[in-house]
Amino acid sequence: MLAAMFSPQGPTLRELAVQALSSVEHGYDLLAPKFDRTPFRTPGGVLGPVTRVLRTIGPFRTGLDLCCGTGAGLEVLGEVCRDRAVGVDFSAGMLAAGRQEHRPAPGDTPADWVRGDALALPFGPVFDLVVSFGAFGHFLPEQRPRLFEQVHAVLRPGGSFAFPLVAPARPGSRGHLAMLGFDTAMRARNAVWRPPFVMYYRGFGLTDVRAELTRTGFSSALYALDELGRRPDGSPRCRLLVATRR
Protein backbone atom coordinates (compact mmCIF):
# COMPACT_ATOMS: atom_id res chain seq x y z
CA MET A 1 0.00 0.00 0.00
CA LEU A 2 2.70 2.50 0.95
CA ALA A 3 4.76 1.58 -2.10
CA ALA A 4 1.82 2.41 -4.35
CA MET A 5 0.97 5.56 -2.43
CA PHE A 6 4.47 6.98 -2.62
CA SER A 7 5.21 5.89 -6.19
CA PRO A 8 6.19 8.59 -8.69
CA GLN A 9 2.61 8.59 -10.01
CA GLY A 10 1.00 8.95 -6.57
CA PRO A 11 0.99 11.76 -3.99
CA THR A 12 4.16 12.60 -2.12
CA LEU A 13 4.42 12.43 1.65
CA ARG A 14 4.29 16.23 1.78
CA GLU A 15 1.14 16.33 -0.36
CA LEU A 16 -0.54 13.79 1.91
CA ALA A 17 0.43 15.81 4.98
CA VAL A 18 -1.09 18.96 3.51
CA GLN A 19 -4.24 17.03 2.64
CA ALA A 20 -4.52 15.59 6.15
CA LEU A 21 -4.36 19.08 7.66
CA SER A 22 -7.11 20.40 5.36
CA SER A 23 -10.87 20.04 5.47
CA VAL A 24 -12.33 16.90 3.90
CA GLU A 25 -13.51 18.82 0.82
CA HIS A 26 -10.29 20.76 0.27
CA GLY A 27 -8.18 17.70 1.05
CA TYR A 28 -9.85 15.73 -1.71
CA ASP A 29 -9.59 18.68 -4.10
CA LEU A 30 -5.82 18.56 -3.53
CA LEU A 31 -5.59 14.78 -3.88
CA ALA A 32 -7.86 14.53 -6.92
CA PRO A 33 -5.26 14.70 -9.74
CA LYS A 34 -3.43 11.67 -8.30
CA PHE A 35 -6.31 9.89 -6.56
CA ASP A 36 -6.57 7.08 -9.08
CA ARG A 37 -2.90 6.26 -8.46
CA THR A 38 -3.45 5.67 -4.74
CA PRO A 39 -4.77 2.63 -2.84
CA PHE A 40 -7.80 4.73 -1.83
CA ARG A 41 -9.55 4.13 -5.14
CA THR A 42 -11.89 1.14 -5.07
CA PRO A 43 -10.06 -1.62 -6.97
CA GLY A 44 -11.45 -3.52 -9.91
CA GLY A 45 -11.30 -6.68 -7.81
CA VAL A 46 -14.22 -5.28 -5.79
CA LEU A 47 -16.09 -3.58 -8.62
CA GLY A 48 -16.31 -6.76 -10.68
CA PRO A 49 -18.04 -8.93 -8.04
CA VAL A 50 -20.44 -6.10 -7.19
CA THR A 51 -21.36 -5.79 -10.86
CA ARG A 52 -21.97 -9.54 -11.04
CA VAL A 53 -24.46 -9.47 -8.15
CA LEU A 54 -26.28 -6.37 -9.37
CA ARG A 55 -26.81 -7.95 -12.76
CA THR A 56 -28.80 -10.71 -11.04
CA ILE A 57 -30.97 -8.12 -9.23
CA GLY A 58 -31.63 -5.69 -12.10
CA PRO A 59 -32.26 -4.55 -14.71
CA PHE A 60 -32.02 -0.89 -13.74
CA ARG A 61 -32.67 2.18 -15.82
CA THR A 62 -31.00 4.98 -13.85
CA GLY A 63 -28.28 4.84 -11.19
CA LEU A 64 -26.55 7.19 -8.75
CA ASP A 65 -22.99 6.82 -7.46
CA LEU A 66 -23.12 8.44 -4.01
CA CYS A 67 -19.88 10.23 -3.04
CA CYS A 68 -18.53 9.19 -6.42
CA GLY A 69 -15.02 10.65 -6.19
CA THR A 70 -13.35 10.06 -9.54
CA GLY A 71 -16.05 7.61 -10.62
CA ALA A 72 -15.20 4.02 -9.69
CA GLY A 73 -18.87 3.35 -8.96
CA LEU A 74 -19.90 4.91 -12.25
CA GLU A 75 -18.06 2.06 -13.97
CA VAL A 76 -20.44 -0.35 -12.22
CA LEU A 77 -23.50 1.73 -13.10
CA GLY A 78 -22.36 1.83 -16.71
CA GLU A 79 -22.56 -1.97 -16.74
CA VAL A 80 -25.93 -2.42 -15.03
CA CYS A 81 -27.98 0.72 -15.87
CA ARG A 82 -29.32 1.04 -19.39
CA ASP A 83 -30.41 4.71 -19.50
CA ARG A 84 -28.24 7.01 -17.38
CA ALA A 85 -25.67 7.05 -14.57
CA VAL A 86 -25.04 10.04 -12.29
CA GLY A 87 -22.16 10.66 -9.89
CA VAL A 88 -22.52 13.11 -7.00
CA ASP A 89 -19.67 14.40 -4.82
CA PHE A 90 -18.90 17.59 -2.88
CA SER A 91 -15.31 17.82 -4.14
CA ALA A 92 -15.08 19.84 -7.34
CA GLY A 93 -11.54 18.55 -7.82
CA MET A 94 -12.57 14.89 -7.71
CA LEU A 95 -15.42 15.54 -10.16
CA ALA A 96 -13.09 17.33 -12.56
CA ALA A 97 -10.56 14.49 -12.42
CA GLY A 98 -13.33 11.95 -12.97
CA ARG A 99 -14.67 13.76 -16.02
CA GLN A 100 -11.18 13.90 -17.48
CA GLU A 101 -10.17 10.30 -16.79
CA HIS A 102 -13.42 8.40 -17.32
CA ARG A 103 -15.11 9.48 -20.50
CA PRO A 104 -17.67 6.92 -21.70
CA ALA A 105 -17.01 5.28 -25.03
CA PRO A 106 -19.61 5.44 -27.81
CA GLY A 107 -22.52 3.20 -26.88
CA ASP A 108 -21.79 3.27 -23.13
CA THR A 109 -24.39 4.46 -20.62
CA PRO A 110 -24.23 8.30 -20.47
CA ALA A 111 -22.83 9.72 -17.23
CA ASP A 112 -23.44 13.04 -15.49
CA TRP A 113 -21.23 14.53 -12.77
CA VAL A 114 -23.00 16.65 -10.14
CA ARG A 115 -21.51 18.62 -7.27
CA GLY A 116 -23.67 18.14 -4.20
CA ASP A 117 -23.88 17.24 -0.53
CA ALA A 118 -24.80 13.63 0.28
CA LEU A 119 -26.78 14.92 3.27
CA ALA A 120 -28.85 17.23 1.03
CA LEU A 121 -29.09 15.50 -2.34
CA PRO A 122 -30.34 17.70 -5.20
CA PHE A 123 -32.62 15.06 -6.75
CA GLY A 124 -36.15 13.78 -6.53
CA PRO A 125 -37.15 10.06 -6.55
CA VAL A 126 -35.71 9.38 -10.01
CA PHE A 127 -33.22 6.52 -9.47
CA ASP A 128 -33.63 2.75 -9.57
CA LEU A 129 -30.22 2.09 -8.00
CA VAL A 130 -27.84 3.94 -5.67
CA VAL A 131 -24.34 2.59 -5.04
CA SER A 132 -21.53 3.81 -2.81
CA PHE A 133 -17.95 2.64 -2.36
CA GLY A 134 -15.67 3.48 0.54
CA ALA A 135 -17.38 6.73 1.56
CA PHE A 136 -19.13 5.92 4.84
CA GLY A 137 -16.10 6.64 7.01
CA HIS A 138 -16.65 10.31 6.21
CA PHE A 139 -19.96 10.34 8.09
CA LEU A 140 -20.27 10.33 11.86
CA PRO A 141 -22.71 7.74 13.30
CA GLU A 142 -25.23 10.45 14.18
CA GLN A 143 -25.25 11.54 10.51
CA ARG A 144 -26.14 8.13 9.09
CA PRO A 145 -29.93 8.39 9.59
CA ARG A 146 -29.93 11.62 7.57
CA LEU A 147 -27.73 10.01 4.90
CA PHE A 148 -30.03 7.00 4.58
CA GLU A 149 -33.09 9.28 4.47
CA GLN A 150 -31.55 11.13 1.54
CA VAL A 151 -30.90 7.88 -0.34
CA HIS A 152 -34.45 6.73 0.38
CA ALA A 153 -35.81 10.03 -0.98
CA VAL A 154 -34.02 9.78 -4.35
CA LEU A 155 -34.99 6.16 -5.04
CA ARG A 156 -38.16 5.13 -6.77
CA PRO A 157 -40.32 2.70 -4.76
CA GLY A 158 -38.68 -0.69 -5.09
CA GLY A 159 -35.31 0.87 -5.87
CA SER A 160 -32.09 -0.52 -4.43
CA PHE A 161 -29.23 0.93 -2.38
CA ALA A 162 -26.13 -1.27 -2.66
CA PHE A 163 -22.69 -1.11 -1.08
CA PRO A 164 -19.97 -3.64 -0.19
CA LEU A 165 -19.17 -4.39 3.44
CA VAL A 166 -15.87 -6.01 4.42
CA ALA A 167 -16.02 -8.43 7.35
CA PRO A 168 -14.54 -6.78 10.47
CA ALA A 169 -10.99 -7.66 11.37
CA ARG A 170 -10.67 -9.92 14.37
CA PRO A 171 -9.71 -8.13 17.60
CA GLY A 172 -5.97 -8.26 18.10
CA SER A 173 -5.19 -9.00 14.45
CA ARG A 174 -2.87 -6.74 12.48
CA GLY A 175 -5.77 -5.39 10.47
CA HIS A 176 -7.75 -4.56 13.60
CA LEU A 177 -4.76 -2.86 15.24
CA ALA A 178 -4.05 -0.87 12.07
CA MET A 179 -7.62 0.45 11.87
CA LEU A 180 -7.67 1.17 15.60
CA GLY A 181 -4.41 3.08 15.30
CA PHE A 182 -5.65 5.07 12.30
CA ASP A 183 -8.93 6.03 13.98
CA THR A 184 -7.10 7.00 17.17
CA ALA A 185 -4.70 9.19 15.20
CA MET A 186 -7.58 10.88 13.36
CA ARG A 187 -9.42 11.59 16.61
CA ALA A 188 -6.27 13.06 18.12
CA ARG A 189 -5.73 15.21 15.02
CA ASN A 190 -9.34 16.47 15.14
CA ALA A 191 -9.06 17.28 18.83
CA VAL A 192 -6.21 19.74 18.27
CA TRP A 193 -6.61 20.93 14.66
CA ARG A 194 -9.30 22.72 12.70
CA PRO A 195 -10.97 22.20 10.33
CA PRO A 196 -11.73 18.56 11.19
CA PHE A 197 -11.06 15.74 8.76
CA VAL A 198 -13.68 13.04 9.30
CA MET A 199 -12.45 9.64 8.15
CA TYR A 200 -13.00 6.79 10.59
CA TYR A 201 -12.92 3.13 9.60
CA ARG A 202 -14.40 1.36 12.62
CA GLY A 203 -17.84 2.94 13.09
CA PHE A 204 -19.86 1.19 10.38
CA GLY A 205 -21.06 -2.08 11.89
CA LEU A 206 -23.44 -4.38 10.04
CA THR A 207 -25.98 -4.78 12.86
CA ASP A 208 -26.37 -1.06 13.51
CA VAL A 209 -26.45 -0.20 9.81
CA ARG A 210 -29.19 -2.74 9.02
CA ALA A 211 -31.27 -1.47 11.94
CA GLU A 212 -30.93 2.13 10.71
CA LEU A 213 -31.87 1.11 7.18
CA THR A 214 -34.97 -0.67 8.48
CA ARG A 215 -36.03 2.42 10.45
CA THR A 216 -35.61 4.52 7.30
CA GLY A 217 -37.95 2.32 5.28
CA PHE A 218 -35.65 -0.23 3.66
CA SER A 219 -35.58 -4.00 3.71
CA SER A 220 -32.10 -5.45 3.28
CA ALA A 221 -30.36 -8.57 2.03
CA LEU A 222 -26.74 -9.71 1.95
CA TYR A 223 -24.94 -11.30 -1.01
CA ALA A 224 -21.55 -12.97 -0.67
CA LEU A 225 -18.82 -11.63 -2.95
CA ASP A 226 -17.14 -15.01 -3.25
CA GLU A 227 -14.43 -13.76 -5.59
CA LEU A 228 -12.93 -11.92 -2.61
CA GLY A 229 -12.48 -15.13 -0.62
CA ARG A 230 -13.66 -16.51 2.70
CA ARG A 231 -12.38 -16.34 6.23
CA PRO A 232 -11.11 -19.43 8.11
CA ASP A 233 -14.58 -19.97 9.59
CA GLY A 234 -16.08 -20.11 6.09
CA SER A 235 -17.84 -16.74 6.19
CA PRO A 236 -17.34 -14.32 3.26
CA ARG A 237 -14.58 -11.74 3.53
CA CYS A 238 -16.86 -9.26 1.82
CA ARG A 239 -20.61 -9.02 1.23
CA LEU A 240 -22.80 -6.74 -0.83
CA LEU A 241 -25.61 -5.21 1.23
CA VAL A 242 -28.63 -4.44 -0.92
CA ALA A 243 -31.31 -2.33 0.74
CA THR A 244 -34.65 -2.04 -1.08
CA ARG A 245 -37.01 0.90 -0.65
CA ARG A 246 -40.26 -0.56 0.55
Side-chain angles (χ1 to χ4, degrees), residues 49 52 223-230 236 238:
R52 173 185 60 79
Y223 298 83
L225 301 179
D226 287 322
E227 296 93 328
L228 301 177
R230 291 187 173 263
C238 189

Side-chain angles (χ1 to χ4, degrees), residues 215-239:
R215 285 192 292 269
T216 307
F218 288 100
S219 58
S220 62
L222 293 170
Y223 298 83
L225 301 179
D226 287 322
E227 296 93 328
L228 301 177
R230 291 187 173 263
R231 304 205 296 180
D233 64 3
S235 61
R237 294 189 182 278
C238 189
R239 295 180 173 95

Side-chain angles (χ1 to χ4, degrees), residues 24 128 147 161 168 227:
V24 180
D128 304 302
L147 178 66
F161 176 31
E227 296 93 328

Side-chain angles (χ1 to χ4, degrees), residues 39-95:
F40 302 134
R41 186 183 191 275
T42 305
V46 174
L47 301 176
V50 170
T51 301
R52 173 185 60 79
V53 173
L54 290 177
R55 279 176 173 154
T56 70
I57 299 170
F60 308 99
R61 290 184 295 158
T62 56
L64 175 69
D65 183 6
L66 184 71
C67 305
C68 66
T70 57
L74 283 169
E75 297 177 14
V76 174
L77 297 180
E79 294 285 337
V80 301
C81 296
R82 66 174 184 264
D83 290 347
R84 181 159 297 277
V86 178
V88 63
D89 201 281
F90 73 165
S91 167
M94 295 290 274
L95 293 169

